[in-house]
Amino acid sequence: LPAPAKGIQKEGKVVVDIMVDKDGNVVSAKVGKGTDTGEYALQQAAIAAAYKAKFNPADKPQMGKITYYFKLK
């Protein structure tokens, strides 16, 4: 999976609910349940990374979740 943008000086967990079309492309991504931060920059970085993900083709569209953990170093 693609990593989210670096350089955001915040911590938190962002769960992204995704819809993947039958070709394996993410066609919908939104912040989902389980996210523990209201930090807009983290949420947008996670959504942008989710849209870059590519999955194996399937017979029909699929729904799923991607969880991103942001930690300061």
Side-chain angles (χ1 to χ4, degrees):
L1 291 173
K6 296 182 181 187
I8 302 171
Q9 297 298 308
K10 303 285 181 181
E11 290 191 338
K13 175 177 81 171
V14 180
V15 178
V16 181
D17 293 331
I18 60 170
M19 173 68 76
V20 180
D21 68 14
K22 62 183 182 178
D23 296 321
N25 302 304
V26 176
V27 295
S28 173
K30 63 180 182 177
V31 175
K33 288 179 90 173
T35 296
D36 70 0
T37 179
E39 187 64 43
Y40 182 77
L42 293 182
Q43 293 176 359
Q44 291 306 302
I47 288 170
Y51 271 114
K52 293 178 186 175
K54 178 74 173 170
F55 296 91
N56 293 329
D59 293 336
K60 60 183 179 178
Q62 305 286 314
M63 292 175 36
K65 296 181 183 294
I66 303 173
T67 302
Y68 293 96
Y69 295 93
F70 294 87
K71 298 203 182 274
L72 293 173
K73 292 187 178 189

Short mmCIF file of all heavy atoms in Angstrom, two decimals:
data_model
loop_
_atom_site.label_atom_id
_atom_site.label_comp_id
_atom_site.label_asym_id
_atom_site.label_seq_id
_atom_site.Cartn_x
_atom_site.Cartn_y
_atom_site.Cartn_z
N LEU A 1 0.84 -1.20 0.00
CA LEU A 1 0.00 0.00 0.00
C LEU A 1 0.87 1.25 0.00
O LEU A 1 1.91 1.27 0.65
CB LEU A 1 -0.89 0.01 1.23
CG LEU A 1 -1.99 -1.03 1.30
CD1 LEU A 1 -2.67 -1.00 2.65
CD2 LEU A 1 -2.99 -0.84 0.20
N PRO A 2 0.44 2.28 -0.67
CA PRO A 2 1.19 3.53 -0.66
C PRO A 2 1.21 4.16 0.74
O PRO A 2 0.22 4.12 1.46
CB PRO A 2 0.42 4.43 -1.62
CG PRO A 2 -0.42 3.51 -2.42
CD PRO A 2 -0.70 2.32 -1.57
N ALA A 3 2.35 4.72 1.08
CA ALA A 3 2.47 5.41 2.37
C ALA A 3 1.87 6.80 2.26
O ALA A 3 1.93 7.43 1.20
CB ALA A 3 3.94 5.51 2.77
N PRO A 4 1.29 7.30 3.34
CA PRO A 4 0.76 8.66 3.32
C PRO A 4 1.90 9.68 3.29
O PRO A 4 3.06 9.36 3.56
CB PRO A 4 -0.04 8.76 4.62
CG PRO A 4 0.44 7.67 5.48
CD PRO A 4 1.02 6.61 4.60
N ALA A 5 1.57 10.91 2.96
CA ALA A 5 2.55 12.00 2.90
C ALA A 5 3.28 12.13 4.23
O ALA A 5 2.69 11.94 5.29
CB ALA A 5 1.85 13.29 2.54
N LYS A 6 4.56 12.47 4.13
CA LYS A 6 5.36 12.67 5.34
C LYS A 6 5.42 14.15 5.66
O LYS A 6 5.05 14.99 4.87
CB LYS A 6 6.76 12.11 5.11
CG LYS A 6 6.75 10.63 4.89
CD LYS A 6 8.14 10.09 4.72
CE LYS A 6 8.01 8.58 4.48
NZ LYS A 6 9.26 7.91 4.45
N GLY A 7 5.90 14.44 6.85
CA GLY A 7 6.09 15.82 7.24
C GLY A 7 4.97 16.41 8.09
O GLY A 7 5.04 17.56 8.48
N ILE A 8 3.94 15.62 8.36
CA ILE A 8 2.86 16.11 9.22
C ILE A 8 3.26 15.83 10.66
O ILE A 8 3.48 14.69 11.03
CB ILE A 8 1.52 15.41 8.88
CG1 ILE A 8 1.17 15.64 7.41
CG2 ILE A 8 0.41 15.91 9.80
CD1 ILE A 8 0.00 14.82 6.93
N GLN A 9 3.37 16.87 11.45
CA GLN A 9 3.87 16.74 12.81
C GLN A 9 2.73 16.48 13.80
O GLN A 9 2.55 17.22 14.77
CB GLN A 9 4.66 18.00 13.18
CG GLN A 9 5.89 18.22 12.34
CD GLN A 9 6.89 17.09 12.50
OE1 GLN A 9 7.28 16.73 13.61
NE2 GLN A 9 7.31 16.51 11.38
N LYS A 10 2.00 15.42 13.56
CA LYS A 10 0.88 15.02 14.42
C LYS A 10 0.89 13.50 14.54
O LYS A 10 1.47 12.80 13.71
CB LYS A 10 -0.46 15.46 13.83
CG LYS A 10 -0.59 16.93 13.56
CD LYS A 10 -0.79 17.70 14.84
CE LYS A 10 -0.95 19.19 14.53
NZ LYS A 10 -1.13 19.98 15.69
N GLU A 11 0.22 12.98 15.55
CA GLU A 11 0.08 11.54 15.72
C GLU A 11 -1.40 11.17 15.72
O GLU A 11 -2.24 11.97 16.11
CB GLU A 11 0.71 11.08 17.03
CG GLU A 11 2.21 11.14 17.04
CD GLU A 11 2.81 10.43 18.25
OE1 GLU A 11 2.11 10.25 19.27
OE2 GLU A 11 3.98 10.05 18.17
N GLY A 12 -1.67 9.93 15.31
CA GLY A 12 -3.04 9.44 15.38
C GLY A 12 -3.25 8.27 14.46
O GLY A 12 -2.38 7.90 13.65
N LYS A 13 -4.42 7.67 14.58
CA LYS A 13 -4.82 6.55 13.74
C LYS A 13 -5.99 6.99 12.88
O LYS A 13 -6.95 7.56 13.39
CB LYS A 13 -5.23 5.36 14.60
CG LYS A 13 -5.77 4.17 13.80
CD LYS A 13 -6.10 3.00 14.70
CE LYS A 13 -7.44 3.18 15.35
NZ LYS A 13 -7.92 2.00 16.07
N VAL A 14 -5.88 6.74 11.57
CA VAL A 14 -6.96 7.07 10.66
C VAL A 14 -7.40 5.79 9.94
O VAL A 14 -6.58 5.13 9.29
CB VAL A 14 -6.55 8.13 9.61
CG1 VAL A 14 -7.71 8.44 8.68
CG2 VAL A 14 -6.06 9.40 10.29
N VAL A 15 -8.66 5.44 10.10
CA VAL A 15 -9.25 4.30 9.40
C VAL A 15 -9.98 4.86 8.18
O VAL A 15 -10.79 5.76 8.32
CB VAL A 15 -10.22 3.52 10.31
CG1 VAL A 15 -10.86 2.36 9.55
CG2 VAL A 15 -9.50 3.02 11.56
N VAL A 16 -9.66 4.32 7.00
CA VAL A 16 -10.27 4.79 5.77
C VAL A 16 -11.14 3.67 5.20
O VAL A 16 -10.65 2.56 4.95
CB VAL A 16 -9.20 5.21 4.73
CG1 VAL A 16 -9.87 5.72 3.47
CG2 VAL A 16 -8.28 6.28 5.32
N ASP A 17 -12.43 3.95 5.05
CA ASP A 17 -13.34 3.02 4.40
C ASP A 17 -13.20 3.21 2.89
O ASP A 17 -13.29 4.35 2.40
CB ASP A 17 -14.80 3.30 4.81
CG ASP A 17 -15.05 3.01 6.27
OD1 ASP A 17 -14.38 2.12 6.84
OD2 ASP A 17 -15.94 3.66 6.85
N ILE A 18 -12.97 2.11 2.17
CA ILE A 18 -12.76 2.22 0.73
C ILE A 18 -13.74 1.35 -0.06
O ILE A 18 -14.25 0.36 0.45
CB ILE A 18 -11.33 1.85 0.32
CG1 ILE A 18 -10.99 0.40 0.72
CG2 ILE A 18 -10.32 2.83 0.90
CD1 ILE A 18 -9.68 -0.12 0.15
N MET A 19 -13.98 1.77 -1.29
CA MET A 19 -14.72 0.98 -2.28
C MET A 19 -13.74 0.78 -3.43
O MET A 19 -13.15 1.75 -3.91
CB MET A 19 -15.97 1.70 -2.75
CG MET A 19 -16.69 1.00 -3.89
SD MET A 19 -17.44 -0.58 -3.43
CE MET A 19 -18.86 -0.02 -2.54
N VAL A 20 -13.60 -0.48 -3.84
CA VAL A 20 -12.67 -0.84 -4.91
C VAL A 20 -13.48 -1.39 -6.07
O VAL A 20 -14.32 -2.28 -5.88
CB VAL A 20 -11.65 -1.89 -4.41
CG1 VAL A 20 -10.67 -2.27 -5.52
CG2 VAL A 20 -10.90 -1.37 -3.18
N ASP A 21 -13.23 -0.86 -7.28
CA ASP A 21 -13.97 -1.36 -8.44
C ASP A 21 -13.42 -2.72 -8.88
O ASP A 21 -12.42 -3.20 -8.34
CB ASP A 21 -13.99 -0.34 -9.58
CG ASP A 21 -12.64 -0.09 -10.24
OD1 ASP A 21 -11.69 -0.87 -10.02
OD2 ASP A 21 -12.53 0.90 -10.98
N LYS A 22 -14.07 -3.35 -9.86
CA LYS A 22 -13.67 -4.69 -10.26
C LYS A 22 -12.29 -4.74 -10.91
O LYS A 22 -11.69 -5.80 -11.01
CB LYS A 22 -14.72 -5.33 -11.16
CG LYS A 22 -14.97 -4.63 -12.45
CD LYS A 22 -16.07 -5.31 -13.21
CE LYS A 22 -16.27 -4.63 -14.55
NZ LYS A 22 -17.31 -5.29 -15.35
N ASP A 23 -11.75 -3.56 -11.30
CA ASP A 23 -10.40 -3.50 -11.87
C ASP A 23 -9.32 -3.31 -10.80
O ASP A 23 -8.13 -3.27 -11.12
CB ASP A 23 -10.32 -2.37 -12.88
CG ASP A 23 -11.22 -2.61 -14.08
OD1 ASP A 23 -11.33 -3.77 -14.53
OD2 ASP A 23 -11.84 -1.64 -14.56
N GLY A 24 -9.73 -3.16 -9.54
CA GLY A 24 -8.78 -3.02 -8.44
C GLY A 24 -8.43 -1.59 -8.07
O GLY A 24 -7.52 -1.35 -7.29
N ASN A 25 -9.16 -0.63 -8.62
CA ASN A 25 -8.92 0.79 -8.32
C ASN A 25 -9.82 1.27 -7.19
O ASN A 25 -11.00 0.94 -7.16
CB ASN A 25 -9.21 1.63 -9.56
CG ASN A 25 -8.36 1.22 -10.74
OD1 ASN A 25 -7.15 1.19 -10.66
ND2 ASN A 25 -9.02 0.87 -11.84
N VAL A 26 -9.26 2.06 -6.29
CA VAL A 26 -10.05 2.67 -5.22
C VAL A 26 -10.87 3.80 -5.84
O VAL A 26 -10.32 4.73 -6.43
CB VAL A 26 -9.16 3.20 -4.09
CG1 VAL A 26 -9.99 3.92 -3.03
CG2 VAL A 26 -8.37 2.04 -3.46
N VAL A 27 -12.19 3.69 -5.73
CA VAL A 27 -13.08 4.69 -6.33
C VAL A 27 -13.80 5.54 -5.28
O VAL A 27 -14.43 6.53 -5.62
CB VAL A 27 -14.11 4.03 -7.28
CG1 VAL A 27 -13.40 3.40 -8.47
CG2 VAL A 27 -14.95 3.00 -6.56
N SER A 28 -13.68 5.15 -4.03
CA SER A 28 -14.28 5.93 -2.94
C SER A 28 -13.44 5.71 -1.69
O SER A 28 -13.03 4.59 -1.41
CB SER A 28 -15.72 5.47 -2.70
OG SER A 28 -16.26 6.10 -1.56
N ALA A 29 -13.20 6.78 -0.95
CA ALA A 29 -12.44 6.70 0.30
C ALA A 29 -12.94 7.77 1.24
O ALA A 29 -13.08 8.93 0.85
CB ALA A 29 -10.95 6.87 0.03
N LYS A 30 -13.24 7.36 2.47
CA LYS A 30 -13.69 8.33 3.48
C LYS A 30 -13.23 7.87 4.85
O LYS A 30 -12.99 6.68 5.07
CB LYS A 30 -15.21 8.50 3.44
CG LYS A 30 -15.99 7.26 3.78
CD LYS A 30 -17.48 7.52 3.71
CE LYS A 30 -18.23 6.26 4.11
NZ LYS A 30 -19.67 6.46 4.14
N VAL A 31 -13.12 8.81 5.77
CA VAL A 31 -12.71 8.50 7.13
C VAL A 31 -13.78 7.63 7.77
O VAL A 31 -14.97 7.92 7.68
CB VAL A 31 -12.49 9.79 7.94
CG1 VAL A 31 -12.18 9.48 9.39
CG2 VAL A 31 -11.38 10.62 7.31
N GLY A 32 -13.33 6.54 8.40
CA GLY A 32 -14.27 5.58 8.97
C GLY A 32 -14.21 5.48 10.48
O GLY A 32 -13.39 6.14 11.14
N LYS A 33 -15.07 4.62 11.01
CA LYS A 33 -15.11 4.35 12.45
C LYS A 33 -13.79 3.76 12.89
O LYS A 33 -13.18 2.99 12.17
CB LYS A 33 -16.24 3.37 12.77
CG LYS A 33 -17.62 3.97 12.65
CD LYS A 33 -18.68 2.96 12.96
CE LYS A 33 -18.99 2.98 14.43
NZ LYS A 33 -20.14 2.14 14.79
N GLY A 34 -13.37 4.15 14.08
CA GLY A 34 -12.11 3.67 14.62
C GLY A 34 -11.00 4.71 14.52
O GLY A 34 -9.95 4.56 15.13
N THR A 35 -11.25 5.77 13.75
CA THR A 35 -10.29 6.87 13.66
C THR A 35 -10.23 7.56 15.02
O THR A 35 -11.27 7.86 15.60
CB THR A 35 -10.72 7.86 12.56
OG1 THR A 35 -10.68 7.18 11.31
CG2 THR A 35 -9.82 9.08 12.52
N ASP A 36 -9.00 7.79 15.52
CA ASP A 36 -8.90 8.39 16.85
C ASP A 36 -8.40 9.83 16.83
O ASP A 36 -8.02 10.37 17.85
CB ASP A 36 -8.03 7.52 17.76
CG ASP A 36 -6.56 7.54 17.40
OD1 ASP A 36 -6.17 8.23 16.44
OD2 ASP A 36 -5.78 6.84 18.08
N THR A 37 -8.39 10.45 15.66
CA THR A 37 -7.95 11.84 15.57
C THR A 37 -8.92 12.65 14.71
O THR A 37 -9.43 12.15 13.72
CB THR A 37 -6.53 11.95 14.98
OG1 THR A 37 -6.16 13.33 14.90
CG2 THR A 37 -6.42 11.33 13.60
N GLY A 38 -9.12 13.87 15.10
CA GLY A 38 -9.92 14.79 14.31
C GLY A 38 -9.04 15.70 13.46
O GLY A 38 -9.51 16.63 12.84
N GLU A 39 -7.72 15.40 13.47
CA GLU A 39 -6.75 16.23 12.75
C GLU A 39 -6.98 16.11 11.24
O GLU A 39 -6.75 15.07 10.64
CB GLU A 39 -5.33 15.78 13.12
CG GLU A 39 -4.24 16.66 12.57
CD GLU A 39 -4.27 18.07 13.13
OE1 GLU A 39 -4.48 18.24 14.34
OE2 GLU A 39 -4.11 19.00 12.32
N TYR A 40 -7.43 17.20 10.65
CA TYR A 40 -7.79 17.23 9.23
C TYR A 40 -6.62 16.82 8.33
O TYR A 40 -6.79 16.07 7.37
CB TYR A 40 -8.30 18.62 8.86
CG TYR A 40 -8.75 18.76 7.43
CD1 TYR A 40 -9.97 18.25 7.02
CD2 TYR A 40 -7.95 19.40 6.49
CE1 TYR A 40 -10.39 18.38 5.71
CE2 TYR A 40 -8.36 19.54 5.18
CZ TYR A 40 -9.58 19.02 4.79
OH TYR A 40 -9.99 19.13 3.49
N ALA A 41 -5.42 17.30 8.61
CA ALA A 41 -4.25 17.00 7.77
C ALA A 41 -3.96 15.50 7.74
O ALA A 41 -3.63 14.95 6.68
CB ALA A 41 -3.03 17.77 8.25
N LEU A 42 -4.08 14.84 8.88
CA LEU A 42 -3.86 13.39 8.91
C LEU A 42 -4.94 12.66 8.12
O LEU A 42 -4.64 11.72 7.36
CB LEU A 42 -3.86 12.86 10.35
CG LEU A 42 -2.72 13.31 11.26
CD1 LEU A 42 -2.86 12.64 12.63
CD2 LEU A 42 -1.37 13.01 10.65
N GLN A 43 -6.17 13.07 8.29
CA GLN A 43 -7.26 12.43 7.57
C GLN A 43 -7.10 12.58 6.07
O GLN A 43 -7.28 11.62 5.31
CB GLN A 43 -8.60 12.99 8.03
CG GLN A 43 -8.93 12.64 9.47
CD GLN A 43 -10.21 13.28 9.96
OE1 GLN A 43 -10.88 14.02 9.24
NE2 GLN A 43 -10.56 13.00 11.21
N GLN A 44 -6.74 13.77 5.61
CA GLN A 44 -6.58 14.01 4.17
C GLN A 44 -5.38 13.25 3.61
O GLN A 44 -5.44 12.74 2.49
CB GLN A 44 -6.46 15.51 3.89
CG GLN A 44 -7.74 16.26 4.15
CD GLN A 44 -8.92 15.67 3.39
OE1 GLN A 44 -8.89 15.58 2.17
NE2 GLN A 44 -9.95 15.27 4.11
N ALA A 45 -4.30 13.14 4.38
CA ALA A 45 -3.13 12.38 3.93
C ALA A 45 -3.49 10.90 3.78
O ALA A 45 -3.07 10.24 2.82
CB ALA A 45 -1.97 12.55 4.91
N ALA A 46 -4.27 10.37 4.72
CA ALA A 46 -4.68 8.97 4.67
C ALA A 46 -5.60 8.72 3.47
O ALA A 46 -5.45 7.72 2.75
CB ALA A 46 -5.35 8.56 5.97
N ILE A 47 -6.55 9.60 3.24
CA ILE A 47 -7.47 9.45 2.11
C ILE A 47 -6.70 9.51 0.79
O ILE A 47 -6.92 8.69 -0.11
CB ILE A 47 -8.59 10.50 2.18
CG1 ILE A 47 -9.55 10.16 3.32
CG2 ILE A 47 -9.34 10.60 0.85
CD1 ILE A 47 -10.56 11.24 3.64
N ALA A 48 -5.77 10.46 0.66
CA ALA A 48 -4.98 10.60 -0.57
C ALA A 48 -4.17 9.32 -0.83
O ALA A 48 -4.09 8.84 -1.96
CB ALA A 48 -4.07 11.81 -0.48
N ALA A 49 -3.57 8.76 0.22
CA ALA A 49 -2.79 7.53 0.07
C ALA A 49 -3.69 6.36 -0.32
O ALA A 49 -3.33 5.54 -1.16
CB ALA A 49 -2.04 7.21 1.36
N ALA A 50 -4.89 6.30 0.26
CA ALA A 50 -5.82 5.22 -0.06
C ALA A 50 -6.20 5.24 -1.54
O ALA A 50 -6.29 4.19 -2.18
CB ALA A 50 -7.07 5.32 0.82
N TYR A 51 -6.41 6.43 -2.09
CA TYR A 51 -6.77 6.53 -3.51
C TYR A 51 -5.65 6.04 -4.43
O TYR A 51 -5.91 5.66 -5.57
CB TYR A 51 -7.16 7.96 -3.88
CG TYR A 51 -8.62 8.27 -3.68
CD1 TYR A 51 -9.03 9.19 -2.73
CD2 TYR A 51 -9.60 7.64 -4.44
CE1 TYR A 51 -10.38 9.49 -2.55
CE2 TYR A 51 -10.95 7.92 -4.26
CZ TYR A 51 -11.33 8.85 -3.32
OH TYR A 51 -12.66 9.13 -3.13
N LYS A 52 -4.42 6.03 -3.95
CA LYS A 52 -3.28 5.56 -4.76
C LYS A 52 -3.13 4.04 -4.72
O LYS A 52 -2.35 3.48 -5.49
CB LYS A 52 -2.00 6.22 -4.28
CG LYS A 52 -1.96 7.71 -4.51
CD LYS A 52 -0.68 8.30 -3.95
CE LYS A 52 -0.68 9.81 -4.05
NZ LYS A 52 0.50 10.41 -3.40
N ALA A 53 -3.84 3.38 -3.80
CA ALA A 53 -3.71 1.93 -3.65
C ALA A 53 -4.28 1.21 -4.88
O ALA A 53 -5.23 1.68 -5.51
CB ALA A 53 -4.43 1.46 -2.39
N LYS A 54 -3.70 0.07 -5.19
CA LYS A 54 -4.16 -0.76 -6.31
C LYS A 54 -4.30 -2.19 -5.78
O LYS A 54 -3.40 -2.71 -5.13
CB LYS A 54 -3.15 -0.69 -7.45
CG LYS A 54 -3.48 -1.52 -8.65
CD LYS A 54 -4.61 -0.91 -9.45
CE LYS A 54 -4.80 -1.71 -10.74
NZ LYS A 54 -5.99 -1.34 -11.46
N PHE A 55 -5.44 -2.80 -6.08
CA PHE A 55 -5.72 -4.15 -5.61
C PHE A 55 -5.89 -5.09 -6.80
O PHE A 55 -6.04 -4.64 -7.94
CB PHE A 55 -6.98 -4.15 -4.73
CG PHE A 55 -6.80 -3.35 -3.48
CD1 PHE A 55 -7.13 -2.00 -3.43
CD2 PHE A 55 -6.28 -3.93 -2.33
CE1 PHE A 55 -6.95 -1.24 -2.29
CE2 PHE A 55 -6.09 -3.19 -1.18
CZ PHE A 55 -6.44 -1.85 -1.15
N ASN A 56 -5.89 -6.37 -6.54
CA ASN A 56 -6.10 -7.35 -7.59
C ASN A 56 -7.53 -7.23 -8.14
O ASN A 56 -8.46 -6.97 -7.39
CB ASN A 56 -5.89 -8.77 -7.06
CG ASN A 56 -4.46 -9.03 -6.68
OD1 ASN A 56 -3.54 -8.47 -7.26
ND2 ASN A 56 -4.26 -9.89 -5.69
N PRO A 57 -7.69 -7.41 -9.45
CA PRO A 57 -9.04 -7.38 -10.03
C PRO A 57 -9.93 -8.46 -9.40
O PRO A 57 -9.45 -9.49 -8.94
CB PRO A 57 -8.80 -7.68 -11.51
CG PRO A 57 -7.37 -7.29 -11.75
CD PRO A 57 -6.65 -7.60 -10.46
N ALA A 58 -11.23 -8.19 -9.39
CA ALA A 58 -12.21 -9.13 -8.83
C ALA A 58 -13.44 -9.16 -9.74
O ALA A 58 -13.58 -8.34 -10.64
CB ALA A 58 -12.60 -8.70 -7.42
N ASP A 59 -14.33 -10.11 -9.48
CA ASP A 59 -15.55 -10.24 -10.29
C ASP A 59 -16.54 -9.11 -10.05
O ASP A 59 -17.39 -8.85 -10.89
CB ASP A 59 -16.23 -11.58 -10.00
CG ASP A 59 -15.41 -12.75 -10.48
OD1 ASP A 59 -14.58 -12.57 -11.40
OD2 ASP A 59 -15.59 -13.85 -9.94
N LYS A 60 -16.46 -8.50 -8.87
CA LYS A 60 -17.40 -7.43 -8.54
C LYS A 60 -16.70 -6.42 -7.63
O LYS A 60 -15.66 -6.71 -7.05
CB LYS A 60 -18.64 -8.00 -7.86
CG LYS A 60 -18.35 -8.74 -6.58
CD LYS A 60 -19.61 -9.34 -5.99
CE LYS A 60 -19.26 -10.10 -4.71
NZ LYS A 60 -20.44 -10.65 -4.09
N PRO A 61 -17.27 -5.23 -7.48
CA PRO A 61 -16.68 -4.23 -6.58
C PRO A 61 -16.61 -4.77 -5.15
O PRO A 61 -17.43 -5.59 -4.74
CB PRO A 61 -17.65 -3.06 -6.68
CG PRO A 61 -18.32 -3.22 -8.00
CD PRO A 61 -18.44 -4.71 -8.19
N GLN A 62 -15.63 -4.29 -4.42
CA GLN A 62 -15.40 -4.74 -3.04
C GLN A 62 -15.33 -3.53 -2.12
O GLN A 62 -14.92 -2.44 -2.53
CB GLN A 62 -14.08 -5.50 -2.94
CG GLN A 62 -13.95 -6.68 -3.88
CD GLN A 62 -14.79 -7.86 -3.45
OE1 GLN A 62 -14.78 -8.22 -2.27
NE2 GLN A 62 -15.51 -8.45 -4.38
N MET A 63 -15.69 -3.75 -0.85
CA MET A 63 -15.54 -2.73 0.19
C MET A 63 -14.48 -3.20 1.16
O MET A 63 -14.28 -4.40 1.33
CB MET A 63 -16.87 -2.51 0.92
CG MET A 63 -17.93 -1.89 0.04
SD MET A 63 -19.57 -1.75 0.80
CE MET A 63 -19.24 -1.39 2.48
N GLY A 64 -13.78 -2.26 1.77
CA GLY A 64 -12.76 -2.63 2.74
C GLY A 64 -12.33 -1.45 3.57
O GLY A 64 -12.93 -0.37 3.51
N LYS A 65 -11.27 -1.66 4.35
CA LYS A 65 -10.73 -0.63 5.23
C LYS A 65 -9.21 -0.66 5.13
O LYS A 65 -8.62 -1.71 4.97
CB LYS A 65 -11.12 -0.88 6.68
CG LYS A 65 -12.59 -0.80 6.97
CD LYS A 65 -12.86 -1.04 8.44
CE LYS A 65 -14.35 -1.05 8.74
NZ LYS A 65 -14.97 0.23 8.54
N ILE A 66 -8.62 0.52 5.23
CA ILE A 66 -7.17 0.64 5.37
C ILE A 66 -6.94 1.48 6.62
O ILE A 66 -7.57 2.53 6.79
CB ILE A 66 -6.52 1.34 4.16
CG1 ILE A 66 -6.84 0.61 2.85
CG2 ILE A 66 -5.01 1.43 4.36
CD1 ILE A 66 -6.36 1.35 1.60
N THR A 67 -6.06 1.01 7.49
CA THR A 67 -5.75 1.75 8.71
C THR A 67 -4.34 2.33 8.60
O THR A 67 -3.39 1.59 8.32
CB THR A 67 -5.85 0.86 9.95
OG1 THR A 67 -7.18 0.31 10.01
CG2 THR A 67 -5.58 1.64 11.23
N TYR A 68 -4.22 3.62 8.80
CA TYR A 68 -2.93 4.31 8.78
C TYR A 68 -2.61 4.79 10.19
O TYR A 68 -3.45 5.39 10.85
CB TYR A 68 -2.97 5.52 7.84
CG TYR A 68 -3.11 5.15 6.39
CD1 TYR A 68 -4.36 5.15 5.78
CD2 TYR A 68 -2.01 4.79 5.63
CE1 TYR A 68 -4.49 4.81 4.44
CE2 TYR A 68 -2.14 4.44 4.29
CZ TYR A 68 -3.38 4.45 3.70
OH TYR A 68 -3.53 4.11 2.39
N TYR A 69 -1.36 4.53 10.63
CA TYR A 69 -0.90 4.97 11.93
C TYR A 69 0.16 6.04 11.70
O TYR A 69 1.16 5.80 11.03
CB TYR A 69 -0.29 3.82 12.73
CG TYR A 69 -1.30 2.76 13.09
CD1 TYR A 69 -1.50 1.67 12.28
CD2 TYR A 69 -2.04 2.87 14.26
CE1 TYR A 69 -2.44 0.69 12.61
CE2 TYR A 69 -2.98 1.90 14.60
CZ TYR A 69 -3.17 0.81 13.77
OH TYR A 69 -4.09 -0.14 14.11
N PHE A 70 -0.06 7.24 12.24
CA PHE A 70 0.89 8.34 12.14
C PHE A 70 1.58 8.47 13.49
O PHE A 70 0.92 8.63 14.51
CB PHE A 70 0.16 9.64 11.81
CG PHE A 70 -0.48 9.65 10.45
CD1 PHE A 70 -1.76 9.15 10.27
CD2 PHE A 70 0.19 10.17 9.36
CE1 PHE A 70 -2.37 9.17 9.02
CE2 PHE A 70 -0.40 10.19 8.12
CZ PHE A 70 -1.69 9.68 7.95
N LYS A 71 2.93 8.40 13.48
CA LYS A 71 3.71 8.51 14.70
C LYS A 71 4.85 9.49 14.48
O LYS A 71 5.49 9.47 13.43
CB LYS A 71 4.26 7.15 15.12
CG LYS A 71 3.18 6.14 15.41
CD LYS A 71 3.69 5.05 16.31
CE LYS A 71 2.62 4.02 16.56
NZ LYS A 71 1.74 4.35 17.63
N LEU A 72 5.11 10.30 15.47
CA LEU A 72 6.26 11.22 15.42
C LEU A 72 7.53 10.46 15.72
O LEU A 72 7.53 9.53 16.54
CB LEU A 72 6.08 12.35 16.43
CG LEU A 72 4.94 13.33 16.14
CD1 LEU A 72 4.78 14.30 17.31
CD2 LEU A 72 5.20 14.08 14.86
N LYS A 73 8.60 10.86 15.06
CA LYS A 73 9.90 10.22 15.32
C LYS A 73 10.86 11.20 15.93
O LYS A 73 10.77 12.36 15.76
CB LYS A 73 10.47 9.66 14.03
CG LYS A 73 9.68 8.49 13.52
CD LYS A 73 10.38 7.87 12.34
CE LYS A 73 9.56 6.66 11.90
NZ LYS A 73 10.22 5.86 10.94
#
